[in-house]
Amino acid sequence: MITDQRHEQFMERIQRGEKIEATDWMPDEYRKLLLKLIHMHAVSEIMGAFPEKEWVPKAPTLKRKLAIMAKVQDEVGHGQLLLRVAEDLAAPLGKTREDLMEDLIEGRVKFHNVFHMESPTWADAGVIGWLVDGAAIINQAALLSTSYGPYARVLKRICAEESFHMQHGENIILALAGGSKEQRRMLQEAVNRWWESLIFFFGPVEVTDAARRMIDYRIRTKTNEELRQQFLKKYVPRIHSLGLTIPDPNLRYDEESEKWIFTEPDWKKFGEIVRYNQGPKSQERLKLRRFAHEDQRWVREAMVRSQKMQVV
Amino acid sequence: MERDHRVEYDVFEVFIQKTQADHHVHVGSVVAPSPDVALTTARENFLRREKAVNLWVVPKEAIVATSYDIPGWFAREMDRKYREVGGYSENARLWKMYREKAMKLEDIVRDLNRKPGYADGVNRR
Ligand SMILES: [Fe+2]
Ligand SMILES: [Fe+2]
């Protein structure tokens, strides 16, 4: 009975547009939905550093190397900020940051499909910054109004840095677009490689039960499809303006429904890639992540031990 | 035993002072095994671009805070316009009767940085 009343008051706060804080009472369902979302967001930021990190040693100029290094560092930083938010939510469930990281290497938490894919050319590094970050920014900007205060605050900082990622990615692809025939071909191939992943990135068209509940709780305010439409609206004309093509013969704007029509991605293939970590690069990148986590455990232990000894 | 290998860091709240004319402002938190490492982690997390002159890290337990559950704590018993600049907007209208403009703090600050003998915010007849 008391819980019902609390729940009702909680929903009233949400409906008034109030922000919920880590120390506030919250329904279990709210906590779990949030944790799932932020946990996945956090590990995706970390795994998102990998496809581009592969290009740090191979960047074409020193300036490009510095810039892509800064971007990779930002993504890991985003992961850290988000893990702080996630671990506070997880604490009452008896989970720690260590558990959250282990969930990633043990395959118990998913990360975004795009970060399972290959980035074989420099144009891929550019297209990731341009279109993958572009898609991620739409997602994250839509979350700025989330009902959970700690998430909203961290997202503000993240979005500010994402705007650098956007410019950075655009600058790379603009250089290629204005370059030689070979460079333009490389860029077109990268766009072809990433397109289907990008359409999948926003998630299923139908509003799942979990997504509906997240909207009820104002954790999210927009549906997957609304965000995908935003992406198409912003990016399709820009891609075309560079004289590039999009590998989807059905892609068109439908005046009547005021919507972009697109070919649905292979939901099954990508669904399995994220669920079972079986994309072309999933295992290789997770192996590196596991190495960072496990082979450096002794450093973490030593630091904690030396601090305890100092305190005593 | 199962959890023995787990390493748990402490949480430190992070405060950044941008210039010595500013107060330290809370920006978020980090986890770290010691205050020293917390300072470094905070710099890496929050100052990759922004400039600062000083950083504080404070153990989370050291923070004493009000509760969000008691909104009454911040309640205002009555209208406090009389404490605010906005509560005196009629001054502008009253000054007009004397062919003068209302003066604001910003005008004073600005004019202090100009050559003397030239007051801008004030209407010379
Ligand atoms: Fe990011
Ligand atoms: Fe990014």
Side-chain angles (χ1 to χ4, degrees):
Chain A
M1 282 312 277
I2 290 173
T3 313
D4 282 355
Q5 213 175 25
R6 272 182 149 184
H7 195 277
E8 210 171 286
Q9 281 168 355
F10 181 86
M11 291 314 290
E12 280 166 17
R13 287 185 63 193
I14 299 255
Q15 270 137 31
R16 279 198 299 271
E18 286 179 27
K19 298 277 186 227
I20 308 302
E21 293 296 333
T23 47
D24 292 351
W25 180 87
M26 62 185 83
D28 261 0
E29 188 190 22
Y30 181 79
R31 182 185 299 280
K32 284 181 182 153
L33 285 169
L34 257 183
L35 179 58
K36 192 172 172 213
L37 175 73
I38 301 172
H39 190 187
M40 188 180 160
H41 188 176
V43 299
S44 293
E45 294 281 356
I46 291 169
M47 296 314 290
F50 285 76
E52 282 175 295
K53 151 207 161 309
E54 290 159 14
W55 279 97
V56 171
K58 300 182 285 185
T61 65
L62 179 60
K63 194 185 155 207
R64 292 287 189 213
K65 190 196 284 280
L66 287 169
I68 199 161
M69 219 154 57
K71 199 213 160 194
V72 166
Q73 198 187 12
D74 281 348
E75 303 300 11
V76 176
H78 296 170
Q80 297 219 8
L81 296 179
L82 291 160
L83 281 170
R84 271 297 304 121
V85 179
E87 67 194 337
D88 282 350
L89 280 167
L93 304 172
K95 281 185 111 176
T96 65
R97 176 182 293 222
E98 182 113 14
D99 295 313
L100 298 179
M101 288 316 292
E102 266 168 18
D103 284 345
L104 171 63
I105 44 189
E106 299 304 334
R108 290 188 295 256
V109 58
K110 294 189 247 183
F111 60 96
H112 279 309
N113 70 307
V114 281
F115 305 128
H116 294 259
M117 309 311 281
E118 286 171 303
S119 57
T121 71
W122 174 245
D124 292 80
V127 167
I128 292 173
W130 181 32
L131 299 179
V132 175
D133 279 67
I137 288 165
I138 289 175
N139 249 340
Q140 296 179 106
L143 282 163
L144 281 168
S145 58
T146 182
S147 58
Y148 190 55
Y151 194 29
R153 291 193 288 271
V154 156
L155 280 163
K156 237 195 245 176
R157 179 170 288 271
I158 291 177
C159 282
E161 292 179 354
E162 291 298 349
S163 65
F164 151 70
H165 300 174
M166 208 166 97
Q167 300 307 323
H168 167 252
E170 287 183 8
N171 196 250
I172 294 175
I173 63 98
L174 285 168
L176 294 175
S180 66
K181 232 174 137 183
E182 177 63 13
Q183 283 172 310
R184 290 183 60 86
R185 188 183 59 80
M186 187 166 78
L187 178 57
Q188 179 64 61
E189 282 174 4
V191 171
N192 296 349
R193 238 186 320 277
W194 286 93
W195 188 255
E196 195 187 1
S197 297
L198 284 161
I199 297 298
F200 180 90
F201 175 82
F202 291 94
V205 178
E206 74 274 9
V207 181
T208 61
D209 285 345
R212 171 56 50 212
R213 292 305 288 154
M214 287 214 264
I215 290 171
D216 293 343
Y217 281 126
R218 295 207 191 167
I219 292 172
R220 298 172 54 175
T221 52
K222 295 250 187 314
T223 66
N224 294 343
E225 189 52 26
E226 283 173 313
L227 297 172
R228 185 168 20 238
Q229 289 290 328
Q230 277 289 330
F231 174 77
L232 293 168
K233 182 173 129 196
K234 289 208 162 59
Y235 284 91
V236 172
R238 287 169 90 80
I239 296 171
H240 285 154
S241 76
L242 296 174
L244 295 166
T245 56
I246 293 171
D248 178 357
N250 301 319
L251 184 71
R252 67 183 172 87
Y253 185 71
D254 182 48
E255 298 281 353
E256 210 170 295
S257 60
E258 295 183 325
K259 268 187 169 175
W260 284 90
I261 312 291
F262 55 88
T263 306
E264 298 224 1
D266 187 339
W267 295 109
K268 188 165 173 287
K269 179 185 88 183
F270 283 105
E272 286 174 358
I273 284 177
V274 282
R275 193 164 320 115
Y276 307 116
N277 288 323
Q278 55 180 344
K281 285 283 185 178
S282 321
Q283 288 306 322
E284 183 187 321
R285 288 176 188 151
L286 278 174
K287 202 173 137 200
L288 263 173
R289 185 54 244 172
R290 183 193 306 271
F291 169 78
H293 188 68
E294 283 172 3
D295 284 42
Q296 283 152 39
R297 186 191 306 280
W298 69 273
V299 179
R300 300 196 295 276
E301 282 171 354
M303 285 196 296
V304 167
R305 218 176 308 129
S306 86
Q307 177 63 17
K308 275 198 189 122
M309 276 155 67
Q310 275 180 35
V311 172
V312 176
Chain B
M1 275 319 274
E2 211 251 315
R3 296 177 74 87
D4 252 0
H5 67 285
R6 250 141 246 263
V7 181
E8 275 178 45
Y9 287 175
D10 296 320
V11 178
F12 293 86
E13 298 295 337
V14 180
F15 298 79
I16 292 176
Q17 189 186 29
K18 288 200 169 164
T19 76
Q20 281 183 267
D22 296 308
H23 287 294
H24 287 70
V25 176
H26 182 240
V27 292
S29 56
V30 294
V31 291
S34 67
D36 289 0
V37 179
L39 282 173
T40 317
T41 310
R43 185 189 61 194
E44 296 308 317
N45 262 340
F46 298 104
L47 293 174
R48 287 195 297 275
R49 294 182 177 77
E50 288 150 60
K51 288 211 170 71
V53 294
N54 201 259
L55 253 185
W56 284 349
V57 290
V58 181
K60 193 183 170 80
E61 315 83 70
I63 307 265
V64 181
T66 56
S67 163
Y68 286 104
D69 291 341
I70 316 170
W73 209 83
F74 294 98
R76 290 282 156 87
E77 64 287 358
M78 53 195 245
D79 184 9
R80 291 205 183 180
K81 275 263 160 58
Y82 63 91
R83 286 178 190 260
E84 290 158 16
V85 172
Y88 299 89
S89 54
E90 66 167 354
N91 286 7
R93 183 177 51 81
L94 295 173
W95 276 118
K96 224 174 180 176
M97 288 165 40
Y98 302 95
R99 298 192 184 189
E100 283 284 359
K101 280 186 195 161
M103 196 165 35
K104 293 189 191 126
L105 180 67
E106 296 83 70
D107 303 327
I108 294 175
V109 173
R110 188 196 56 223
D111 291 345
L112 281 172
N113 295 322
R114 282 191 177 163
K115 287 201 178 94
Y118 182 78
D120 214 73
V122 186
N123 204 4
R124 295 264 160 250
R125 243 173 290 161

